[in-house]
Amino acid sequence: MSRTPAHRSRVVVIGAGIVGCSLADELTARGWTDVTVLEQGPLPAPGGSTSHAPGLVFQTSPSKTMTEFAAYTVQKFSSLEVDGLPCFNPVGGLEVATTAARWADLHRKAGLAASWGVRGELLTPQQCKQLWPMLDETKLHGGFHTADDGLARALLACRAQMERAAGRGARFLERHTVTGIEREDGHVTGVVTDRGTFPADHVVSAAGFWGPVIGAMAGVDVPLLPLAHQYATTEPLPQLAGVNDPHGGTPCSSEAESLGAEASKPILRFQDRDLYFREHTDRIGIGSYAHRPMPVDPFTVPAFDEAPVMPSSLPFTEDDFAPSWQDSVELLPALGESRVAEGFNGVFSFTPDGMPVLGESRELRGFWLAEAVWVTHSAGVARAVAEWMTDGRPAIDIHECDLYRFEDAQRSPAYIEDRGAQNFVEVYDVIHPLQPMEQPRPLRTSPFYARQQELGAYFLEGGGWERPHWYEANAPLADGLELPERDAWSARYWSPIAAAEARATREKVALYDMTPLRRLEVTGPGALDFLHRMTTNNLRKKPGAVTYTLLLDETGGIRSDLTVARLAPDRFQVGANSPADLDWLLRHAHGGTSRSSGAESGGGVQVRDITSGTCCIGVWGPLARDLVQPLTRDDFSHEGFGYFRAKQTYLGHVPVTAMRLSYVGELGWELYTTADLGLRLWDTLWEAGREHGVIAAGRSAFNSLRLEKGYRAWGADMTAEHNPYEAGVGFAVRTDKEFVGRAALEGNETPKRKLTALLLDDPAANVLGKEPVSVDGAPAGYVTSASYGYTLGRCVAYAWLPPLATGTGVHIEYFGEKVPATVADEPLFDPKMTRIRR
């Protein structure tokens, strides 16, 4: 936080592209008027990515957050104009499908649009041709039209926001190259340029693909990779002559008139060939992602005056574009009479997961990142960062964009380059929700990896970890199981073996690799007071107690859910969700640290991540006690080892921390040990379990079992946008104590929306998540997570909906079909908890 009163905070924004200009406007509108925007190039077109951006704004994304960013960008830019020219041209968007797979995906995209409130309509080939007469409709299966999408005039939007921000006191300084970041006692104090030093309480890097350069000056990693993207413009086309000219072919009298008439047709995306098209008056611009990745070193990009055109515009490589030209002619035959008149390779940013990088550095307080942001999301990102700086949090959940979402293993330059390049390749691909990236794998493996391979594990990846989803060794157990046939989409990354593994867990006992779940250790004489203040539940319990609790922000939103085990008076093990949880706790602990994964001391509290040095096996099923008890001298009976209790003991030769928890709704324990003894623990349990029919089970079965019990998954089922009562976890809130976010919960105990359990009526139906849900024919919410419940014989879906009575019928839209479902009481399975507590 700033050392000065908020309204007097001095802010320096580095970069006057679309993000920097938008941020200056948003900050000054909130009363932070001491804002200086530094730009190394000339204004208003300084030569970064904004200066060459084609301005496409397609709002619909699998990410609700990114869709909301884009929706605000449309809303804001539509309200701005310069010299009478609007900064947004709402021509709409049209995505066309030339393959059956893409046509199915457009149905799914229409569902996403409905979930997030974007207007969209699926069209026939003939309707597509009416919008784009140059199309060869015989190549099409259909299209998806979004009427409110369009073209952002990025440089004009920059000018409009610069003028507004300047009118409130902001200043924009061109030709100022940043050469250093000043700091004192872990806080930013100023920005050094070739033309002087600017004192600051807050510095925001909105430098685009130069982000890593600015980050290096501040000692802050910026995990993005600049890549070149091809854009070409055709010669004038007879088919467009006069179409976009209000004067019927007469030259326009002003630049504004010319720009105002530059396009009338929707932005066209031909994603089957990684192409998009937009009009430039009587020409067509073509953007291609079909070529090889072309990474750019941001440290070697020339200055504006040294660049042939501008720093972000590299020479056009015709050979790379040749296949894309042929694909363009195939879709738009009239292009066969034309040719490429000019082109360039424009530089912009990709991250390992394709999302922006936002937030304040913990290592250097007051230093903020607003990087890897495209024009599409620029105003939305700027609003979120401005809210974060002035109010302490964004109004929407942005955990997918958080600077600290990446694991340490995902921050290496090699990883960033591999993943960034692959994201470029896949930018228009049909991506399944479970689809892992191919490289670099394997990166992180548990100590049991060799045994899992021997059992034929089918691995998917998450957070860099190899995660078994099922084991081919269990294929015989699936023989004879009667399962409904699945559609092609839900059958990807799925096997009937998952049903067999779920059944074995319910009937016998199974081993689950829980190593990828994050583990933190909080120690010191102030540990109890610190955790008690930070979380919602009562942690003042004797050693051996385990507590389910929540991390809230100041507005009562759920930042995470935790499992806290008190192992000793001053030592706690915390089961967390993401690296951002560690960041949150470190920020609130007394003192400071410059190590992103290390301990934070001060106030008698140390917080450290112990995940990599430890491992965990979940032993669950009705025979779990029969397996574990003979391996230890400690009492593992229900009376001797109650539910939500922890013990430090030995299983055979292995020291373990055993916690009686279950995320699958069955008797069992989470067993933790050090990584060096992990393989020995697996072998010990495997050998002891043979007589009980033990199997190894994967995350596919795990997800089915946890949904049958209604156990929430943070980040999917609930986020910082939701409070505990809405999410159905109010039982973890103790209002008789003080904790972060408590005041905001007062008076909000009666939710206006609820995370609702649904059972699909048709035993053969499946949904996967993010589908729209309608009540009485009207859109009412969306699915968060779903899986077939093998014990229940129905697909289980959780959805955010208005409060509805049990038995209410709803419909879930799945690839264009209305799938009936019914509101159900939860938990759906074993509501009296007899299977866990025995």
Side-chain angles (χ1 to χ4, degrees):
M1 298 300 294
S2 171
R3 302 176 186 180
T4 58
H7 67 282
R8 291 169 48 201
S9 291
R10 299 165 299 179
V11 180
V12 174
V13 178
I14 302 172
I18 191 64
V19 178
C21 292
S22 297
L23 180 58
D25 183 47
E26 295 287 339
L27 284 171
T28 56
R30 288 166 172 77
W32 283 30
T33 55
D34 191 350
V35 176
T36 301
V37 183
L38 302 175
E39 175 53 58
Q40 64 181 340
L43 294 175
S49 298
T50 301
S51 299
H52 67 68
L56 280 65
V57 178
F58 278 88
Q59 298 172 80
T60 306
S61 163
S63 165
K64 179 174 178 284
T65 298
M66 297 296 275
T67 300
E68 290 179 329
F69 284 161
Y72 181 71
T73 300
V74 169
Q75 174 190 333
K76 184 176 186 181
F77 289 1
S78 295
S79 70
L80 300 176
E81 62 176 41
V82 175
D83 298 332
L85 179 66
C87 293
F88 186 77
N89 185 358
V91 293
L94 177 62
E95 302 175 56
V96 295
T98 58
T99 64
R102 181 68 62 181
W103 184 226
D105 189 59
L106 292 185
H107 282 76
R108 183 175 69 96
K109 186 164 288 184
L112 290 170
S115 288
W116 313 144
V118 176
R119 232 175 15 127
E121 181 184 13
L122 291 165
L123 303 181
T124 65
Q126 292 72 28
Q127 290 173 314
C128 293
K129 188 174 181 64
Q130 289 174 4
L131 290 174
W132 256 86
M134 293 171 63
L135 279 168
D136 180 356
E137 79 277 16
T138 66
K139 300 287 197 303
L140 305 183
H141 288 256
F144 178 52
H145 180 226
T146 45
D148 299 323
D149 291 337
L151 294 167
R153 298 184 174 101
L155 289 178
L156 288 180
C158 284
R159 284 178 57 193
Q161 293 177 102
M162 286 170 64
E163 291 172 5
R164 296 205 317 186
R168 303 184 190 111
R171 55 179 177 166
F172 293 78
L173 303 179
E174 63 182 1
R175 301 288 188 175
H176 281 64
T177 300
V178 174
T179 58
I181 306 294
E182 292 188 332
R183 69 196 83 177
E184 182 180 337
D185 297 330
H187 199 288
V188 70
T189 60
V191 178
V192 183
T193 77
D194 58 351
R195 299 176 66 177
T197 298
F198 296 83
D201 303 299
H202 296 273
V203 173
V204 185
S205 177
F209 61 79
W210 284 286
V213 178
I214 302 300
M217 296 178 191
V220 176
D221 290 334
V222 181
L224 68 81
L225 175 71
L227 287 150
H229 158 61
Q230 290 198 298
Y231 192 80
T233 308
T234 68
E235 293 181 321
L237 296 166
Q239 293 83 356
L240 296 181
V243 173
N244 296 313
D245 187 341
H247 298 278
T250 303
C252 296
S253 60
S254 70
E255 178 187 6
E257 287 185 3
S258 175
L259 286 170
E262 66 177 337
S264 59
K265 297 178 182 62
I267 309 160
L268 178 64
R269 290 208 284 192
F270 181 21
Q271 292 166 300
D272 287 322
R273 292 295 184 271
D274 298 309
L275 294 168
Y276 64 82
F277 307 86
R278 58 152 295 181
E279 295 170 291
H280 291 280
T281 310
D282 59 352
R283 303 165 187 257
I284 290 180
I286 306 170
S288 172
Y289 295 96
H291 54 83
R292 60 190 169 88
M294 303 177 189
V296 175
D297 183 354
F299 291 87
T300 62
V301 174
F304 187 92
D305 294 327
E306 298 170 359
V309 180
M310 56 182 166
S312 63
S313 181
L314 304 181
F316 190 60
T317 49
E318 294 183 7
D319 289 346
D320 289 305
F321 193 76
S324 291
W325 177 254
Q326 293 303 315
D327 290 333
S328 300
V329 171
E330 181 180 345
L331 183 69
L332 305 172
L335 295 184
E337 303 300 319
S338 183
R339 66 181 184 86
V340 172
E342 57 185 352
F344 65 95
N345 291 358
V347 183
F348 63 146
S349 304
F350 280 82
T351 60
D353 59 5
M355 303 291 280
V357 179
L358 311 178
E360 183 187 17
S361 168
R362 189 179 66 254
E363 295 84 356
L364 182 59
R365 300 296 178 90
F367 184 81
W368 295 78
L369 295 180
E371 299 290 13
V373 183
W374 296 2
V375 171
T376 304
H377 310 104
S378 54
V381 164
R383 179 178 65 170
V385 173
E387 290 169 341
W388 206 343
M389 295 174 70
T390 60
D391 301 333
R393 75 182 288 274
I396 66 172
D397 172 68
I398 62 166
H399 78 273
E400 295 172 310
C401 309
D402 194 293
L403 166 62
Y404 289 95
R405 70 187 181 270
F406 294 112
E407 304 282 349
D408 286 347
Q410 297 174 305
R411 303 185 75 94
S412 71
Y415 186 95
I416 293 166
E417 183 167 351
D418 285 347
R419 296 291 200 176
Q422 188 63 23
N423 267 307
F424 178 91
V425 170
E426 295 178 350
V427 70
Y428 276 171
D429 286 1
V430 177
I431 303 293
H432 192 277
L434 294 176
Q435 181 174 327
M437 296 188 80
E438 296 179 0
Q439 295 296 332
R441 291 183 65 194
L443 181 63
R444 307 177 78 187
T445 60
S446 77
F448 328 127
Y449 184 64
R451 296 293 184 265
Q452 292 165 343
Q453 288 179 303
E454 292 168 3
L455 293 170
Y458 185 90
F459 293 99
L460 297 179
E461 178 268 344
W465 288 99
E466 294 297 315
R467 302 185 178 195
H469 274 243
W470 64 83
Y471 294 84
E472 289 297 330
N474 297 324
L477 300 179
D479 292 343
L481 287 182
E482 295 185 5
L483 297 172
E485 185 176 350
R486 296 173 76 101
D487 64 277
W489 187 250
S490 67
R492 290 184 66 183
Y493 306 106
W494 174 85
S495 168
I497 296 171
E501 293 176 356
R503 180 176 179 179
T505 307
R506 292 277 189 240
E507 295 180 353
K508 293 184 179 181
V509 62
L511 306 184
Y512 287 83
D513 181 1
M514 306 301 291
T515 300
L517 297 185
R518 181 162 303 277
R519 291 171 291 285
L520 310 177
E521 184 179 70
V522 182
T523 58
L528 174 59
D529 289 341
F530 172 66
L531 287 173
H532 195 66
R533 182 179 75 252
M534 292 300 300
T535 65
T536 60
N537 214 334
N538 176 32
L539 298 186
R540 298 194 185 281
K541 302 174 183 177
K542 295 179 181 179
V546 182
T547 306
Y548 177 80
T549 188
L550 307 171
L551 284 180
L552 305 185
D553 63 22
E554 289 80 357
T555 67
I558 303 171
R559 283 194 56 94
S560 189
D561 61 341
L562 309 177
T563 303
V564 180
R566 191 176 189 184
L567 303 180
D570 296 339
R571 182 163 69 92
F572 296 80
Q573 182 171 310
V574 179
N577 285 294
S578 81
D581 294 344
L582 173 65
D583 174 60
W584 181 256
L585 292 175
L586 289 177
R587 287 179 188 273
H588 285 80
H590 297 290
T593 181
S594 60
R595 295 177 296 168
S596 62
S597 61
E600 177 130 347
S601 59
V605 181
Q606 296 82 42
V607 183
R608 68 188 187 103
D609 190 327
I610 60 172
T611 309
S612 297
T614 55
C615 58
C616 178
I617 300 174
V619 182
W620 291 310
L623 301 182
R625 183 176 288 115
D626 296 316
L627 189 159
V628 176
Q629 183 63 81
L631 298 173
T632 179
R633 295 180 181 180
D634 284 311
D635 184 1
F636 271 57
S637 69
H638 182 62
E639 296 73 21
F641 197 156
Y643 191 51
F644 267 81
R645 299 291 299 173
K647 282 186 180 182
Q648 292 176 292
T649 184
Y650 290 86
L651 295 183
H653 297 91
V654 182
V656 300
T657 298
M659 298 185 196
R660 190 167 169 200
L661 307 173
S662 177
Y663 206 51
V664 300
E666 296 293 337
L667 171 69
W669 289 264
E670 293 179 358
L671 303 173
Y672 299 88
T673 191
T674 52
D676 59 322
L677 290 167
L679 190 58
R680 184 61 176 261
L681 176 61
W682 179 281
D683 289 344
T684 299
L685 294 170
W686 188 260
E687 187 60 34
R690 285 181 181 275
E691 62 179 290
H692 305 294
V694 71
I695 67 161
R699 293 190 66 85
S700 186
F702 176 87
N703 198 46
S704 171
L705 297 169
R706 72 100 180 165
L707 280 169
E708 288 184 332
K709 283 296 293 180
Y711 294 144
R712 277 56 170 151
W714 183 85
D717 299 319
M718 57 189 186
T719 69
E721 292 185 358
H722 311 110
N723 75 41
Y725 305 114
E726 296 172 328
V729 290
F731 63 86
V733 177
R734 291 286 299 268
T735 55
D736 59 351
K737 55 166 271 191
E738 291 297 325
F739 56 84
V740 174
R742 179 184 180 277
L745 295 182
E746 295 179 2
N748 290 316
E749 293 84 356
T750 303
K752 296 180 181 179
R753 57 179 176 176
K754 290 181 63 178
L755 186 61
T756 304
L758 303 175
L759 277 176
L760 274 61
D761 294 351
D762 183 354
N766 278 286
V767 297
L768 296 183
K770 301 186 178 181
E771 297 88 357
V773 183
S774 58
V775 179
D776 295 329
Y782 60 92
V783 175
T784 58
S785 54
S787 178
Y788 200 85
Y790 301 109
T791 316
L792 303 173
R794 291 285 193 282
C795 181
V796 179
Y798 272 78
W800 280 104
L801 294 168
L804 299 171
T806 300
T808 301
V810 303
H811 284 88
I812 304 173
E813 184 176 326
Y814 184 68
F815 287 91
E817 295 186 10
K818 302 288 188 181
V819 179
T822 303
V823 174
D825 281 330
E826 56 174 336
L828 304 170
F829 176 77
D830 188 25
K832 296 183 178 180
M833 303 286 282
T834 57
R835 299 177 70 89
I836 294 176
R837 293 172 171 159
R838 58 180 174 183

